Amino acid sequence: MARILISPFTFLFLGILGLISFPAEAAIKKYQFDIQVKNVSRLCHAKPIVTVNGRFPGPTIYVTEGDRVLVNVTNHAQYNMSIHWHGLKQYRNGWADGPAYITQCPIQTGGSYTYDFNVTGQRGTLWWHAHILWLRATVYGALVIMPKQGTPFPFPQPNEEFEILFGEWWHADVEEVVKRGTNMGLPPNMSDAHTINGKPGPLFPCSEKHTFAMEVELGKTYLLRIINSALNDELFFAIAGHSMTVVEVDAVYTKPFTTQAILIAPGQTTNVLVQANQIPSRYFMATRPFIDVPLAIDSKMATAILQYKGIPNTVLPTLPQLPASNDTQFALNYSKKLKSLNSQKHPANVPLKVDRNLFYTIGFGKNSCPTCVNGTKFLASLNNISFAMPQTAILQAHYFNIKGVYRTDFPDKPPTPFNYTGAPLTANLRTATGTRVSNIAFNSTVELVLQDTNLLTVESHPFHLHGYNFFVVGTGIGNFDPAKDPAKYNLVDPVERNTVGVPTGGWTAIRFRADNPGVWFMHCHLELHTGWGLKTAFVVEDGTGPNQSVLPPPKDLPPC
Ligand code: C2O
């Protein structure tokens, strides 16, 4: 997980000595991912989990901006598999994006597929994960893109870097837990532990030996690449005695700011600089969910240890102060501090004029289910449509013009406006199930307002768009006001990212230019909500130019 960073000068020096060869402009990086079941022991007992190469978390993909990456995935597990490279734009190349039944059919047991993609115009921390069922519970890892050789970070060069991945751990087989929930029409059981780099830390039973430790040296600066791979929890994170300087989110540089704690939603990444400038000792790093609705109380804290070199393991670490579990104010203030760096080298090209205005409401509902415990099952919807997964991948249907797989009549606004965030509503808004998506003209500019509602309950939702970064131009609590709120937008240096939290009982406005043709999934990154149908896709049409259409599919694309 740790990496010593060689300064450009050392690099040059070693290069002159002929000790390392300079990579050509576009190097090809090859990885082999064997999907295999392995017994892994955590929290007092071992259980078989689905892994990549037997590792948990999986291996880091480490590339340089401009590289071509080939990842051969061979599936030896009993489940069908697909892997998503979360946050990579995959220009014209949705075939390598990974969401099952959206851009590809899954890799069947015994099958294999090579994800072949270029890493262009992006650098920073992203990650990869399984994109089928709930398999990403154990199938995930970091994807680190270094800037092109000779291009420094726009912040002080750290001495060393670490990847820090948050996750969740279930005692039981996660797929069984989900199946049981679905059959009963209830949310599946919550995870039994949270983890940092796959390890819960000593505050859980039997887990002293399952503790991640990060060794630091007094006076040095460390870059932490933090990734929230948890399935259902927005998380706070803090380090006892040490502040953090946020320099990047979702592989986009930000205006640096210093904070005692960060907030990170599932799917998001955050790079922070940490200075080892305290009394050499052992300090806890800790993460715990942020939940500002009285739904399920999950206050489990995962810990890891920041340890100064030479300090014995017998020294008891102190815990950091995390914001209270329901600290909405911290969350709102924190998201306000996130701004694009917007420098000459890294400008924020915010679309100023909007071609297409979209307004999507997020709602929960219950459908009748005679076999379920309460006679009902939960479902979630956007504009009253709960998305049904098709049997053929939508990208294939789009590219080969196969009819009957999906419909393109997803509404631009909810069928009937109502007081979205007023008193709790249980009204049946005639939520329909369907595979319905929106067609978007090539290169048009899109504004999408995501509005939370009080249908059954308000809740916060981290929305992720595949194939794009977007600018978060505005956010607020209550109902979005199209007459007043746009005047308050930040169109200068809004944060640019691929996953954004829609606040509990509030709204978030994003903008992007639809310059990447293909089929791009958009969904809540809480696996629970995705599973209930809180998802849709954009079909971005081809442009007329020579390099503006979807590339032909690779020969080994898995069949349906
Ligand atoms: Cu990280 Cu569609 O997901």
Side-chain angles (χ1 to χ4, degrees):
M1 297 286 168
R3 219 160 251 121
I4 311 280
L5 298 174
I6 306 176
S7 83
F9 301 106
T10 323
F11 203 76
L12 190 67
F13 179 67
L14 292 172
I16 291 165
L17 291 179
L19 293 177
I20 43 173
S21 55
F22 290 107
E25 250 310 287
I28 298 181
K29 300 267 168 72
K30 289 188 183 173
Y31 286 86
Q32 176 62 36
F33 273 25
D34 281 306
I35 308 295
Q36 50 191 231
V37 173
K38 178 149 191 243
N39 251 337
V40 169
S41 146
R42 292 288 184 276
L43 302 184
C44 315
H45 73 275
K47 68 160 193 178
I49 60 169
V50 182
T51 68
V52 167
N53 301 348
R55 291 173 56 183
F56 173 68
T60 297
I61 299 275
Y62 203 79
V63 300
T64 300
E65 182 182 345
D67 283 349
R68 175 175 171 198
V69 185
L70 300 174
V71 188
N72 178 265
V73 179
T74 303
N75 186 6
H76 307 282
Q78 72 272 38
Y79 299 106
N80 289 345
M81 182 54 73
S82 77
I83 305 280
H84 170 50
W85 316 93
H86 181 118
L88 271 189
K89 291 184 187 169
Q90 306 285 15
Y91 188 62
R92 302 171 60 204
N93 187 28
W95 309 111
D97 192 39
Y101 300 107
I102 303 296
T103 59
Q104 69 166 94
C105 283
I107 307 162
Q108 318 242 318
T109 304
S112 85
Y113 176 50
T114 299
Y115 291 90
D116 180 349
F117 51 85
N118 296 317
V119 178
T120 316
Q122 293 183 276
R123 80 293 309 160
T125 307
L126 294 172
W127 63 300
W128 56 265
H129 61 81
H131 211 304
I132 181 166
L133 306 169
W134 282 40
L135 292 171
R136 74 178 181 88
T138 56
V139 179
Y140 64 87
L143 195 167
V144 174
I145 311 166
M146 291 305 283
K148 282 203 175 124
Q149 208 187 297
T151 309
F153 294 128
F155 46 79
Q157 177 79 13
N159 298 95
E160 203 178 324
E161 58 174 66
F162 290 91
E163 291 129 34
I164 306 278
L165 294 95
F166 304 141
E168 291 185 79
W169 179 264
W170 276 262
H171 282 306
D173 183 302
V174 186
E175 290 311 318
E176 291 306 318
V177 172
V178 175
K179 242 186 255 162
R180 216 174 311 130
T182 312
N183 289 342
M184 294 196 298
L186 298 172
N189 286 348
M190 244 191 278
S191 58
D192 298 293
H194 287 156
T195 57
I196 297 178
N197 290 344
K199 297 170 174 178
L203 305 188
F204 287 94
C206 312
S207 59
E208 287 83 2
K209 64 173 192 283
H210 301 304
T211 302
F212 172 72
M214 172 176 120
E215 196 184 74
V216 300
E217 274 178 67
L218 185 65
K220 289 196 169 169
T221 303
Y222 297 85
L223 176 68
L224 269 51
R225 301 179 175 273
I226 303 167
I227 299 166
N228 186 350
S229 328
L231 282 89
N232 295 307
D233 285 306
E234 260 183 271
L235 296 165
F236 291 120
F237 173 73
I239 309 172
H242 296 74
S243 55
M244 296 175 275
T245 303
V246 176
V247 292
E248 179 205 302
V249 294
D250 293 5
V252 183
Y253 297 129
T254 61
K255 289 205 168 68
F257 67 94
T258 299
T259 183
Q260 294 309 311
I262 67 158
L263 177 63
I264 183 166
Q268 294 182 332
T269 66
T270 304
N271 280 8
V272 302
L273 292 174
V274 175
Q275 282 183 308
N277 57 5
Q278 297 299 305
I279 299 165
S281 183
R282 297 171 85 223
Y283 297 86
F284 268 128
M285 310 191 266
T287 177
R288 180 176 67 190
F290 162 54
I291 308 172
D292 63 350
V293 280
L295 275 179
I297 301 307
D298 179 353
S299 53
K300 294 185 291 285
M301 194 190 291
T303 51
I305 295 171
L306 180 148
Q307 173 152 2
Y308 282 72
K309 203 173 177 175
I311 301 297
N313 284 353
T314 44
V315 175
L316 275 187
T318 44
L319 276 171
Q321 272 226 317
L322 285 165
S325 288
N326 60 356
D327 196 341
T328 307
Q329 205 47 51
F330 179 93
L332 297 175
N333 289 342
Y334 182 81
S335 66
K336 252 190 233 147
K337 286 187 214 157
L338 289 170
K339 296 207 159 103
S340 287
L341 180 59
N342 192 26
S343 64
Q344 212 162 25
K345 271 204 193 117
H346 305 282
N349 293 318
V350 190
L352 298 178
K353 174 183 140 296
V354 172
D355 300 319
R356 181 87 175 271
N357 274 286
L358 305 173
F359 184 80
Y360 291 2
T361 53
I362 301 164
F364 291 117
K366 285 177 183 173
N367 259 11
S368 98
C369 169
T371 56
C372 294
V373 178
N374 299 319
T376 55
K377 64 171 185 201
F378 283 102
L379 84 187
S381 62
L382 286 169
N383 283 351
N384 291 3
I385 296 158
S386 186
F387 189 86
M389 291 309 263
Q391 314 264 303
T392 302
I394 299 179
L395 181 58
Q396 274 164 289
H398 167 64
Y399 187 85
F400 293 109
N401 209 359
I402 306 166
K403 299 277 174 248
V405 175
Y406 65 94
R407 282 162 52 180
T408 54
D409 59 352
F410 190 93
D412 285 6
K413 51 185 196 318
T416 8
F418 58 101
N419 180 4
Y420 308 111
T421 54
L425 287 164
T426 48
N428 184 347
L429 293 178
R430 284 185 298 278
T431 298
T433 301
T435 309
R436 293 164 66 179
V437 304
S438 246
N439 262 349
I440 307 282
F442 180 78
N443 214 28
S444 59
T445 53
V446 180
E447 176 175 308
L448 166 63
V449 177
L450 287 157
Q451 171 75 60
D452 188 28
T453 70
N454 207 350
L455 281 162
L456 296 189
T457 177
V458 287
E459 208 178 330
S460 70
H461 300 275
F463 262 83
H464 171 45
L465 174 61
H466 288 223
Y468 288 93
N469 282 345
F470 48 72
F471 292 96
V472 183
V473 295
T475 186
I477 298 300
N479 297 345
F480 173 71
D481 182 344
K484 290 203 187 111
D485 286 322
K488 294 179 237 158
Y489 282 172
N490 175 2
L491 300 174
V492 178
D493 59 358
V495 69
E496 177 186 345
R497 58 190 325 167
N498 61 58
T499 306
V500 69
V502 179
T504 301
W507 57 271
T508 292
I510 63 172
R511 285 190 185 179
F512 62 96
R513 177 177 292 278
D515 55 4
N516 188 7
V519 175
W520 304 108
F521 206 19
M522 188 182 71
H523 60 93
C524 177
H525 217 285
L526 304 181
E527 218 47 47
L528 182 63
H529 296 170
T530 314
W532 287 345
L534 199 46
K535 52 197 171 191
T536 182
F538 293 121
V539 175
V540 177
E541 286 156 5
D542 285 347
T544 48
N547 295 313
Q548 298 179 340
S549 49
V550 175
L551 294 167
K555 298 224 161 45
D556 60 342
L557 188 72
C560 287

